[in-house]
Amino acid sequence: MSALHPYCLAISSLGFVLLLWGLKSNKTKTNPALLLLALTYLASAVSFIIEMPPIWSRIDSTFGVANIAVPLSMSWVVLVCTCQTSVIAYWAYAPGRARRAAKWFFAAGAVVIAGLMVTFFQIPIDDFSTYQVREWSYASYLSIYITAYTAAQAYLTIQCWKLARRVGVPWVAWSLRIISVGALITIGQSIIRSANLLGMADVKWLDLAWLCGDLGALLTSVGYLLPTLVDRARETYTWANEHYTYQRLGPLWEALRAASPEITAVEAPPQRSTFLRLRSINFALYRRSTEIRDGMIELRPYLGASARGSAETRHAQLPAAECAAAVTAEQIHHALRAHQEGHPATTPVEYADARVPADTAAQEMRLLLRIAAHFKSQAAAAAAAPGSSLAPAAGWPALDRT
């Protein structure tokens, strides 16, 4: 066992947990490639766990068969190779062809595992423990494993390098190249063990074989893991950004809901509980942005021309989009006060943000965030200067709550 063994186990375990999390949170149809990749990491972790000396000894004593942990570990490695090649097939081919390829890979894997078990029980126990026996059963046993392992790694090396040339996303292409290089390095293990089996390499070379196997496995695991890490990072950023955006819209939404409670058609669950449970707040965020616009529509009869004119004069030095947001926020403040006092405008005007293009949901959200930011800062300034024209009337709800 090489010094890289624990790192390989850590990467495999991390990959399995991250993929399991992604599969659990995915409400749509399960992606076969992701399911196979999760199984790859699970099988890899199990193979590395079995190879740990304490676990190795416990397995042997449990089954009562000396060195039974060896074919068991190798069987899990064969499963790793089967899943890896199947994942690449799903990435490289159309779904129908990929499914057929995966079936052949799994059938071949089952035959290899059966061959390992049959030949293992033909090997004399004392001879097997030396790992240098030239007896036919041991040679057959090791030949089956090396042939299957080398074929799988060669397939990964070639296919991943080809795929890297076709992929348009740079970091995905680099991931595939890392897998290709890792698979190529693991073939070094096969070469050394084959040479040892044929009497062409001394037993001291076996340490290098372990190193090639673990280094190659580490690189392939990292290569497969990079896309998963990027996906999880993006999901985490989206989740955190949605919660942050929801909170930033809070003061504006609360003020509008206080004036027009009917805008809230669906009561959202508390944000804190949703956040602590690591749940998405996407639907509640969509509802909040919609309700803000509905609340602004309810206030349109109270939008006075003089309030807009004076606000535009005050914020004229700001860039166009920022000016429109600041003026709109000030219009909302005046309209809320007029609504409370029951003084609709004689000739209502439009909100200043109507002149800012917002053709996509992202542009609309950025515009609402600008308005909400100015609304909150203006409310704070009004609270600090009661004589201000934006000072809230008696009984008006606090506008700077978060």
Side-chain angles (χ1 to χ4, degrees):
M1 183 172 68
S2 75
L4 294 176
H5 205 91
Y7 299 101
C8 295
L9 175 58
I11 292 294
S12 298
S13 302
L14 176 62
F16 176 67
V17 170
L18 289 177
L19 280 164
L20 193 65
W21 173 25
L23 289 169
K24 183 179 179 182
S25 61
N26 187 7
K27 304 301 182 182
T28 59
K29 186 177 180 180
T30 302
N31 186 328
L34 291 182
L35 187 60
L36 286 167
L37 190 53
L39 183 57
T40 298
Y41 282 118
L42 175 61
S44 179
V46 172
S47 70
F48 285 117
I49 289 172
I50 292 176
E51 290 173 4
M52 292 180 174
I55 304 298
W56 184 305
S57 302
R58 180 61 63 88
I59 291 175
D60 286 357
S61 61
T62 299
F63 285 94
V65 179
N67 296 310
I68 188 63
V70 180
L72 290 179
S73 176
M74 287 183 169
S75 296
W76 282 101
V77 173
V78 171
L79 180 58
V80 171
C81 294
T82 302
C83 292
Q84 285 180 331
T85 51
S86 298
V87 169
I88 296 302
Y90 273 99
W91 288 354
Y93 307 135
R97 184 180 176 185
R99 281 193 296 271
R100 289 191 296 272
K103 288 179 181 178
W104 280 107
F105 289 144
F106 272 91
V111 170
V112 171
I113 291 173
L116 289 175
M117 288 299 177
V118 170
T119 53
F120 169 78
F121 284 103
Q122 304 301 316
I123 302 171
I125 296 177
D126 293 338
D127 286 342
F128 187 86
S129 63
T130 67
Y131 288 92
Q132 300 179 70
V133 67
R134 310 295 174 218
E135 200 265 344
W136 73 269
S137 55
Y138 179 80
S140 301
Y141 169 83
L142 194 56
S143 296
I144 291 172
Y145 177 76
I146 291 175
T147 301
Y149 187 81
T150 305
Q153 300 308 306
Y155 178 85
L156 290 180
T157 301
I158 297 170
Q159 286 293 92
C160 289
W161 200 263
K162 287 182 178 179
L163 275 174
R165 294 177 179 177
R166 291 159 43 190
V167 173
V169 184
W171 60 266
V172 174
W174 275 109
S175 298
L176 290 167
R177 291 190 183 98
I178 291 172
I179 296 172
S180 183
V181 171
L184 182 62
I185 291 174
T186 60
I187 294 177
Q189 181 187 44
S190 300
I191 294 172
I192 294 172
R193 298 195 71 176
S194 297
N196 177 256
L197 183 63
L198 297 172
M200 299 168 60
D202 192 78
V203 67
K204 64 183 180 182
W205 285 93
L206 291 180
D207 288 338
L208 180 58
W210 276 107
L211 181 61
C212 288
D214 280 1
L215 179 59
L218 181 63
L219 287 175
T220 53
S221 296
V222 169
Y224 278 116
L225 187 60
L226 281 180
T228 305
L229 286 175
V230 172
D231 287 343
R232 296 292 88 79
R234 286 176 172 173
E235 290 174 4
T236 301
Y237 171 78
T238 299
W239 168 80
N241 187 58
E242 286 177 349
H243 275 278
Y244 181 52
T245 301
Y246 186 83
Q247 187 271 339
R248 289 171 64 190
L249 293 176
L252 175 59
W253 173 78
E254 288 183 1
L256 292 170
R257 189 181 66 161
S260 305
E262 66 276 7
I263 65 174
T264 304
V266 179
E267 197 68 35
Q271 183 183 10
R272 178 175 296 180
S273 64
T274 304
F275 181 84
L276 293 176
R277 294 166 65 187
L278 304 179
R279 298 291 180 84
S280 170
I281 204 166
N282 180 268
F283 178 72
L285 177 60
Y286 167 76
R287 285 298 316 161
R288 175 160 287 191
S289 62
T290 301
E291 289 167 7
I292 286 174
R293 284 302 185 186
D294 290 343
M296 291 173 64
I297 291 173
E298 293 295 323
L299 289 178
R300 274 182 180 172
Y302 301 91
L303 298 178
S306 60
R308 174 170 172 170
S310 60
E312 287 178 336
T313 301
R314 268 190 297 276
H315 302 292
Q317 78 282 0
L318 295 175
E322 205 66 38
C323 176
V327 172
T328 300
E330 200 163 313
Q331 285 181 281
I332 294 173
H333 276 293
H334 282 283
L336 286 169
R337 184 180 182 89
H339 175 271
Q340 185 189 29
E341 295 174 351
H343 296 149
T346 305
T347 307
V349 297
E350 286 290 335
Y351 286 104
D353 74 313
R355 64 174 180 259
V356 179
D359 300 325
T360 66
Q363 291 174 339
E364 168 70 4
M365 187 60 70
R366 284 195 293 270
L367 181 55
L368 285 179
L369 285 172
R370 287 195 190 102
I371 295 171
H374 285 286
F375 183 86
K376 184 176 180 179
S377 63
Q378 290 168 8
S388 167
S389 61
L390 293 180
W396 203 33
L399 298 180
D400 59 340
R401 287 182 291 169
T402 58

